[in-house]
Amino acid sequence: MTVALAPELTVVDEAVATAAHLGLTSTPKTLPPWLFYDEKGSQLFEEITALPEYYLTRTERALFAAHADEIFLELIASLTVIELGAGTATKTGILLNALTRFQQGVLYQPIDISPSALFEAHTLEADIPGLTVLPQTANYITDPIHIHREPGHKVIALYIGSSIGNFSPAEARAILLKLRAQLQPGDALLLGTDLAPSPSKSVEALLAAYDDAAGVTASFNRNILARLNRELDANFDLSRFAHRARWNSNESRIEMHLESTCSQTVQIPANSACPALTLHFAPGETIHTENSYKFTSASIASLLADAHFTPARRFTDPANLFAVTLAEAT
Ligand code: AVI
């Protein structure tokens, strides 16, 4: 007698499997950008931040170095600091260092989904005398945010690094509204945003930041498929997907895509979360992997107003590449 065996299902991270299934069965095909950030992708992103073409990180860092004192003097209050999506918090050290010169003892609460990034953020405590780090492992989009407010302190929430740019306008508004619900009038938000092209910022420079000569961003983009091969046993041939960065002027965003260079079929076997999937790609068909929105002073102001914040100070570099906005919760 032969016994029919059910096909063996691999046990996978269900969020990864479900997101891949949903995105790759959509028309046009998409993958959500949070899938970039496995261990390899996080390493590649760190490399991106040091690339000559990727001006965002170093420009924001320079703005912090130049204006940290003004930011804290503007607020004239004892402050408790929280940070959404803190990551390893390397740039934040500049701000925290400055704040410890204005007040005795600073409580810093980094919130991030990655425990290993928060471990790194915790090491700031050893470098900055007077700093106490209280990390919170949470997804600030889906999980509740808990703020520990010291008595008599205002809260300053940091949302920097242009992280807000990776969300649609509706999602960005929802994130800020959720944050605002945890704040009191008079609390503050420091928001880092990348800026739209202007007479001093060309579309070419913007595109180069997302398509660098060394090909690190291309590897970062393709790593999303490598991750699906590793974790879901998919059989994407990475050499058959070209990295594409496009400027979408109607939406004011850089889009990253992976373009199929030929007609091809890719399999994702059945797993504990999803049935098997056979994907067909036409030559030139793309998987849309990321949006990175670019702002103007008007679009920053209207995003803040929608979430009940009023801009108080705006800091930009001479070429208007990047903006750091200090806003007050109203
Ligand atoms: C994390 N985020 C702000 C980056 C950005 O610029 O949108 C992600 C990135 N994608 C390609 N290069 C960097």
Side-chain angles (χ1 to χ4, degrees), residues 64-79:
F64 290 165
H67 302 291
D69 288 6
E70 280 169 83
I71 292 169
F72 296 121
L73 282 170
E74 178 80 25
L75 294 170
I76 18 164
S78 298
L79 296 169

Side-chain angles (χ1 to χ4, degrees), residues 63-128:
L63 290 171
F64 290 165
H67 302 291
D69 288 6
E70 280 169 83
I71 292 169
F72 296 121
L73 282 170
E74 178 80 25
L75 294 170
I76 18 164
S78 298
L79 296 169
T80 296
V81 184
I82 71 154
E83 181 170 2
L84 299 186
T88 54
T90 36
K91 271 175 292 170
T92 315
I94 300 171
L95 297 172
L96 295 170
N97 232 318
L99 186 55
T100 55
R101 291 199 303 273
F102 290 103
Q103 82 185 46
Q104 237 190 2
V106 172
L107 177 64
Y108 167 55
Q109 300 165 63
I111 304 169
D112 203 280
I113 199 164
S114 157
S116 60
L118 285 175
F119 179 82
E120 282 286 311
H122 210 156
T123 62
L124 283 174
E125 226 177 48
D127 300 339
I128 306 178

Side-chain angles (χ1 to χ4, degrees), residues 172-330:
R173 181 171 177 271
I175 290 168
L176 293 187
L177 274 170
K178 182 177 173 201
L179 169 68
R180 177 63 190 82
Q182 299 301 314
L183 299 178
Q184 295 175 1
D187 285 342
L189 165 67
L190 193 70
L191 184 69
T193 46
D194 196 17
L195 295 176
S198 65
S200 57
K201 181 177 186 180
S202 66
V203 170
E204 290 69 33
L206 193 47
L207 282 168
Y210 291 84
D211 194 4
D212 61 280
V216 182
T217 310
S219 302
F220 174 72
N221 199 7
R222 285 198 194 92
N223 178 59
I224 208 165
L225 302 183
R227 180 176 186 179
L228 301 188
N229 287 350
R230 282 192 293 269
E231 295 187 23
L232 305 181
D233 206 20
N235 66 349
F236 285 97
D237 177 346
L238 270 53
S239 69
R240 293 174 160 197
F241 287 89
H243 166 66
R244 297 281 179 247
R246 298 179 186 159
W247 170 241
N248 180 332
S249 59
N250 289 332
E251 301 289 340
S252 194
R253 69 189 188 202
I254 290 280
E255 296 178 0
M256 292 210 311
H257 294 257
L258 287 161
E259 184 179 312
S260 176
T261 56
C262 57
S263 167
Q264 57 179 319
T265 300
V266 175
Q267 315 278 351
I268 305 181
N271 54 55
S272 56
C274 299
L277 194 59
T278 299
L279 296 163
H280 300 288
F281 289 89
E285 183 180 356
T286 76
I287 308 173
H288 186 169
T289 51
E290 186 185 60
N291 290 320
S292 193
Y293 284 84
K294 308 302 168 188
F295 294 81
T296 60
S297 51
S299 64
I300 295 167
S302 89
L303 172 64
L304 288 170
D306 284 353
H308 314 297
F309 289 98
T310 308
R313 296 289 302 274
R314 182 169 184 273
F315 305 97
T316 53
D317 54 292
N320 261 300
L321 300 176
F322 198 92
V324 170
T325 307
L326 179 66
E328 189 183 331
T330 45

Side-chain angles (χ1 to χ4, degrees), residues 37 45 48 54 56 161-163 166 210 217 220 256 290 292:
Y37 300 96
F45 178 66
I48 287 174
Y54 196 78
L56 289 80
S162 184
S163 302
N166 294 131
Y210 291 84
T217 310
F220 174 72
M256 292 210 311
E290 186 185 60
S292 193

